[in-house]
Every structure is written in structure tokens, then in C-alpha cells.
Amino acid sequence: MEIFKKFSFVFLVICSALSANAEVQRHKFVIEATKVKRLCKTHNTITVNGMFPGPTLEIKNGDTLEVLVVNKAIYNVTIHWHGVRQMRTGWADGPEFVTQCPIRPGGSYTYRFTVQGQEGTLWWHAHSSWLRATVYGALIIRPRDGESYPFPKPKRETPILLGEWWDANPIDVVREATRTGAAPNVSDAYTINGQPGDLYKCSSKETTIVPIDSGETNLLRVINAALNQPLFFKVANHKLTVVGADASYTKPFTTSVLMLGPGQTTDVLIQGNQQPSRYYMAARAYQSAQNAPFDNTTTTAILEYKSASCVATKCNAVTPVMPSLPAYNDTNTVTAFSQSFRSRQKVEVPTDIDENLFFTVGLGLNNCPPNFSKSRCQGPNGTRFTASMNNVSFVLPRNFSLLQAHQQGIPGVFTTDFPGTPPLKFDYTGNVSRSLFQPVPGTKLYKLKYGSGVQIVIQDTSIVTPENHPIHLHGYDFYIIAEGFGNFNPKTDTSKFNLVDPPMRNTVGVPVNGWAVIRFVADNPGVWLMHCHLDVHINWGLAMAFLVENGVGDLQSIQSPPPDLPIC
């Protein structure tokens, strides 16, 4: 602990020296309904500043963001800054009823936070109901003045936001699913920078064009902003060199295909080394849950060479070349891709583990309550879908946020008895007894001492169906030290741990019918949500939260709540 304190002091001295060039960037986000036409139909879509997707924010490492959010929509809203560490500024994290009460219609709130020690691509999105279907945008963090990327400076940089579109109001879709207990309707299209592309009706005039020129090396900042679907991404005839993920640099590796779970970002270099022409970049589903309905459409954008020879030969009259995407259920490709990630150099992985946790993640089915009509129990065999971690289906409070209740000592809002291991051990990925399908609802947190070393084994289960779950931890980055299939075996699987150069992420794709192991140091006090980033699963309760206690003194304690924090 003494070493940890000294390290913290040195770190703060360095930070204060580096903050000399830092700027405060101020923005205003107006949340409002805007007419947006897609797939031949106009919807009153909830947007930021009338833009879909919302504005891209560009800052430097060390800058402070102040974003005034004004809610002119008819729904409650919050904004989450996905992947931002939020050191001691948990009040700005954004998940509804976790770190704040929502911004009510007609209300406003200013998010204030500093981005320190992070570079690359993150993003921001609504964290209230299903508003993030359309309320999202890129957050680009460049190196400080005088510093550079750890790879050759690209000629151009292009954010590639992969999204998901319903030909309906997404809020109505989730409300109907909540009423019936069934799975929500799947989306009608995927989008790249808000556009479905040439393979959908009424869409080809607006298809996103991404420019490139012969001899250029460009940077694509790919973000999976889809609500419920992991996605494969590929560019016809072009290889991609991965150089970063979740705002951490990686050891470069070259691939022809990416797979991103919702919430994840991947920075790739692409070279203009093909015949000048037009090439489709395309994305479609990675669907690991068997027999579950999904949107099997394909979104496209066009990589278009701008060179003189291309102009002379009228490239834009040429039908673009289409890439061959992996099969929807190609888990082998996903595994090979995810296991290619490494940190750029040797890293300090926590080895003193104070909290050795084991969390099961998966779906469930609740029996139909006696007072419910059949129309409200339209899940399999007259049940209602649910989901849980360690058999606890997470229930958000309604009258206070968890962080407020913790800070103000308000009793009865939550308990701190979230189980650190499954209440019952069973064959997690085998044929699970139907008696284990019904989890217990609760608002249970897990308490962590400041500075403790944490390891979590996250284990998928085959309850209802196994599935690849993108698990996101707020307020932290973590090292993914191993992943595998079947049930995690502490006797044999620890030999697979990479404690030298594991990748640092904020969202881990837990393999279908498998497990992943993450480590981090609990150095950020507050209440931090950990949840599946498939929004359908959050609604069902696939979440929990950590309560990280304050350390010693102000610099190890969460700041006071801002005066304009929304009240419930």
C-alpha cells in the first residue's frame, strides 16, 4: 500500500506538469426530436443538435470537456462517455440511476471531466432506455501537443460508426418487449455513419463515401455503436492493420476482418495500395446465440480512390467490389481476431490479487406471475425473458441514483451483498437444469477497498442459450489476461494467463460458451456499473455495480457532486 501511495504522488506530480498545455473544451448538446428519413420512411428521431449520428468531439490527452446537455425531447436522458476513466468524477459518468438521476424533459446538466492518459478512439452515447439507438457520436483523443502516434502519421482519419436502425421508434420497441416479456423486435438495418448503404431500399443516394488516394496510409476509427449486435467489418481487397482499441495502443497486427462487440472501438490503418476504383466496406452480424432471431442484413459504405487516374476512368460509375464476410456464426474467426490483441510493450499487470471474483453471465426465464395475463408472458413456453450475473438480475433504483445514495448514506436503496462467486456451482456451459433458469431480482453492489487488486473470471452460461456477451466496466480499463471455451478451470486455465503484454480494454467479448479473465486495480472511487453492452440484456438485468470506497485524502476520494446534478 505504501508503494501504491508513493506511486500515486509521483503520478500526480507528472500529471500536473503535463497539464500545462491542456485546454478546456466546451460544447452544447441539445437533445431533440428531428425528422430523419431512412428506408423510405421519415421518423421523429431523437438526436443531438439535429445530427444523426451526433457530433464528433475531438480533444487532446489531458484536455477537460464541459458538455452542457439540454433536454428538449419527451424522454428522460443521460449521456455516458464510454471508456473515459472519470478519475474521481463519477458524477459525470452518465448511466441513469447509477451515477445520476436522468435529465428530465426541459432540464439540463453539464458534464465536466478531464481525459488523462488515454489516446485513441472512444465514443459517447445516451445511457437511458434505448435512446442510444440514435443518440451517439465519436470521441477522438489525440496525443498532447508535441507528441505523436506510435505509428506513421496517417494522411487522413475517418471515424466509422457502425449503428443499428429500427423502422420504428426504438423506445416503443423496448416498451413493447417489456410489456410482453418476449425478445424485442430485431432491427431493420445496420448503418455506417448513419447510412444503411446500397443494399437497402431508398438508401443508395446517401451511402457514406470514405476517400482514399493511391499511396496513402489512412486511419479508420471503427466504433460499434449498434444497440444489440456484435458486427464483422471488412473492406474489399484491402488489409487492415490494427493499432489501437478502446483508446489504448496495441501491438500492430494485420487482418482482413474485424469483429467488434457493441461498445468496442478499433483503430486500423488502411493503405491505398489497390487499383484505383471503388470498394465496399461492409458490416454484418456475428450471431453466436443459436436459434435467436437477428437482423441478417448488410450495411455498406464505399472506399473511393480520389486519384487522377480514377477520375479519368469515371470510377464513380463503377459498381464497387464487395468483400466476402464471415458466416454469421463464425466463432473461429472471432477467436483468432480477439486473441491477436497485445499491448505495445510489457505492462504492469496487477499480481497482488485481493479480490478473486467469479461472475456467471447469461439469460434466464421468469415464470409468469399469477396476476399477469398470457399476453404479458410471451417468452418461451409462456415465460418472461430475464438475465443475470451470479443469479442476481439487476434492478435499477427509481428515486435516487446509487452514487447519491452511497454519498449521502441513504438507506434502503441498495445492499452490498452481491455474491463474489456463483451461489450455486453447476456445469455452466452444459445442459443446465430448468430449476436454475429463474434468477433473483435485486439491487446488489460489490464493495471494493481503494487500491485493491481485482481479478474477475467472467463465465458465460448455456441457460436459455450461450452467447458472446460484450461486458463493459464503467470507470476503468482492465487487462484481458486470458479467454477460453467451456467452464473455467482454475487448476489448468491459469497456465494460459498472459501477465506480460495483455491488451487493455474497457469492454471484453466473453466467448460464447466460454470465459474471459480480467484484472484491474480499484483506484477510482465511486459506483461503477458493469454490464452487458447488448442493451436488450441490460433491460433484462445482466448487470451489477462495484462500490469502490474512498482512499486516504482528497486525491483518493470522489469529488463532491456538482450543484446542477439532476434530482429525481
Side-chain angles (χ1 to χ4, degrees):
M1 196 65 182
E2 197 56 42
I3 292 170
F4 186 80
K5 285 180 194 163
K6 284 178 182 168
F7 171 78
S8 296
F9 175 73
V10 171
F11 179 72
L12 289 163
V13 169
I14 292 168
C15 285
S16 58
L18 290 172
S19 63
N21 291 332
E23 295 173 21
V24 178
Q25 305 234 21
R26 294 181 176 88
H27 298 271
K28 184 177 181 180
F29 278 12
V30 178
I31 313 288
E32 58 192 349
T34 306
K35 292 202 179 314
V36 176
K37 187 175 184 180
R38 295 289 184 276
L39 310 180
C40 321
K41 197 167 163 189
T42 302
H43 292 274
N44 271 332
T45 299
I46 306 301
T47 64
V48 170
N49 299 349
M51 299 166 64
F52 171 66
T56 294
L57 301 184
E58 302 191 36
I59 65 170
K60 294 192 297 291
N61 182 359
D63 284 357
T64 295
L65 266 172
E66 286 189 7
V67 184
L68 168 62
V69 176
V70 179
N71 187 5
K72 292 189 176 177
I74 61 171
Y75 305 109
N76 292 340
V77 73
T78 64
I79 300 291
H80 170 52
W81 314 91
H82 185 111
V84 172
R85 283 291 321 263
Q86 296 290 4
M87 295 299 288
R88 303 176 52 238
T89 51
W91 305 105
D93 189 44
E96 180 180 64
F97 295 114
V98 177
T99 58
Q100 66 169 99
C101 295
I103 307 167
R104 306 288 181 188
S108 66
Y109 177 48
T110 300
Y111 292 89
R112 297 178 183 84
F113 56 92
T114 300
V115 176
Q116 194 73 262
Q118 296 182 280
E119 288 177 20
T121 306
L122 294 175
W123 62 300
W124 56 265
H125 60 80
H127 213 297
S128 179
S129 184
W130 272 22
L131 283 182
R132 83 166 179 87
T134 55
V135 177
Y136 63 86
L139 172 57
I140 295 169
I141 310 162
R142 302 191 190 286
R144 303 173 195 279
D145 288 339
E147 296 184 7
S148 58
Y149 299 133
F151 46 82
K153 187 168 165 44
K155 183 76 189 294
R156 305 172 207 253
E157 299 184 13
T158 310
I160 303 287
L161 289 121
L162 308 177
E164 201 167 1
W165 180 264
W166 274 259
D167 200 15
N169 178 346
I171 305 296
D172 292 344
V173 174
V174 69
R175 283 180 176 173
E176 175 65 4
T178 302
R179 188 186 69 78
T180 65
N185 289 344
V186 300
S187 54
D188 297 285
Y190 301 111
T191 56
I192 296 177
N193 294 352
Q195 294 296 339
D198 291 355
L199 304 184
Y200 299 88
K201 61 185 179 183
C202 306
S203 299
S204 54
K205 283 196 177 72
E206 310 294 334
T207 297
T208 297
I209 305 287
V210 177
I212 196 168
D213 217 338
S214 294
E216 283 182 359
T217 298
N218 295 346
L219 180 65
L220 303 180
R221 299 175 177 273
V222 187
I223 300 165
N224 186 350
L227 210 69
N228 293 320
Q229 193 64 57
L231 293 166
F232 288 115
F233 175 83
K234 204 166 177 184
V235 183
N237 294 14
H238 290 73
K239 290 260 198 283
L240 304 168
T241 300
V242 175
V243 292
D246 293 1
S248 290
Y249 294 120
T250 64
K251 201 165 277 176
F253 69 94
T254 300
T255 178
S256 61
V257 62
L258 311 180
M259 198 293 286
L260 294 86
Q264 293 185 321
T265 74
T266 308
D267 288 357
V268 297
L269 296 175
I270 184 169
Q271 292 185 319
N273 57 8
Q274 296 298 303
Q275 181 70 30
S277 188
R278 306 171 91 214
Y279 299 87
Y280 277 129
M281 36 180 70
R284 77 173 187 187
Y286 165 50
Q287 178 64 10
S288 59
Q290 291 182 342
N291 305 321
F294 69 100
D295 177 350
N296 64 359
T297 62
T298 303
T299 180
T300 56
I302 298 170
L303 183 74
E304 187 170 274
Y305 279 72
K306 296 294 181 190
S307 57
S309 62
C310 200
V311 173
T313 56
K314 295 191 171 62
C315 279
N316 59 2
V318 175
T319 302
V321 183
M322 189 72 186
S324 61
L325 284 149
Y328 297 113
N329 63 350
D330 188 349
T331 294
N332 289 344
T333 291
V334 173
T335 305
F337 178 67
S338 67
Q339 292 186 350
S340 299
F341 283 85
R342 296 279 184 279
S343 284
R344 276 189 71 81
Q345 57 263 318
K346 189 177 187 306
V347 289
E348 293 294 319
V349 183
T351 50
D352 292 337
I353 302 302
D354 304 295
E355 297 280 359
N356 208 334
L357 306 176
F358 188 109
F359 291 177
T360 58
V361 296
L363 306 186
L365 298 172
N366 280 333
N367 295 330
C368 195
N371 58 330
F372 276 32
S373 65
K374 278 187 177 172
S375 67
R376 297 202 61 193
C377 298
Q378 294 184 38
N381 303 317
T383 57
R384 290 177 60 86
F385 272 108
T386 182
S388 68
M389 296 176 73
N390 275 357
N391 204 47
V392 179
S393 188
F394 193 67
V395 179
L396 285 169
R398 277 281 166 258
N399 300 321
F400 300 96
S401 75
L402 296 170
L403 187 56
Q404 277 174 303
H406 165 57
Q407 182 88 354
Q408 297 169 22
I410 300 165
V413 178
F414 64 84
T415 56
T416 54
D417 56 347
F418 183 87
T421 55
L424 184 74
K425 291 185 170 50
F426 58 96
D427 179 4
Y428 306 114
T429 53
N431 197 0
V432 182
S433 162
R434 185 70 180 74
S435 64
L436 299 178
F437 276 41
Q438 188 157 313
V440 180
T443 310
K444 296 174 186 284
L445 277 55
Y446 191 92
K447 202 179 273 191
L448 293 173
K449 279 201 162 35
Y450 183 91
S452 56
V454 183
Q455 174 177 293
I456 312 174
V457 176
I458 310 171
Q459 172 74 58
D460 186 29
T461 75
S462 56
I463 296 176
V464 184
T465 177
E467 188 166 359
N468 180 297
H469 294 278
I471 302 294
H472 172 49
L473 175 59
H474 288 231
Y476 286 87
D477 287 322
F478 48 75
Y479 291 113
I480 305 174
I481 61 170
E483 57 177 57
F485 291 99
N487 299 338
F488 177 77
N489 183 335
K491 290 193 177 70
T492 56
D493 288 332
T494 48
S495 66
K496 299 173 185 160
F497 286 4
N498 175 4
L499 302 179
V500 179
D501 60 352
M504 183 181 265
R505 304 293 298 252
N506 62 53
T507 305
V508 55
V510 177
V512 55
N513 244 330
W515 50 268
V517 185
I518 66 170
R519 285 187 184 180
F520 62 95
V521 173
D523 60 357
N524 192 10
V527 175
W528 303 107
L529 191 63
M530 185 177 189
H531 65 91
C532 180
H533 218 281
L534 308 178
D535 276 31
V536 55
H537 292 176
I538 310 177
N539 290 102
W540 291 342
L542 212 168
M544 60 79 66
F546 287 106
L547 194 168
V548 181
E549 296 175 321
N550 286 335
V552 178
D554 286 352
L555 295 176
Q556 293 183 3
S557 302
I558 190 164
Q559 293 175 3
S560 299
D564 62 338
L565 188 74
I567 52 171
C568 282

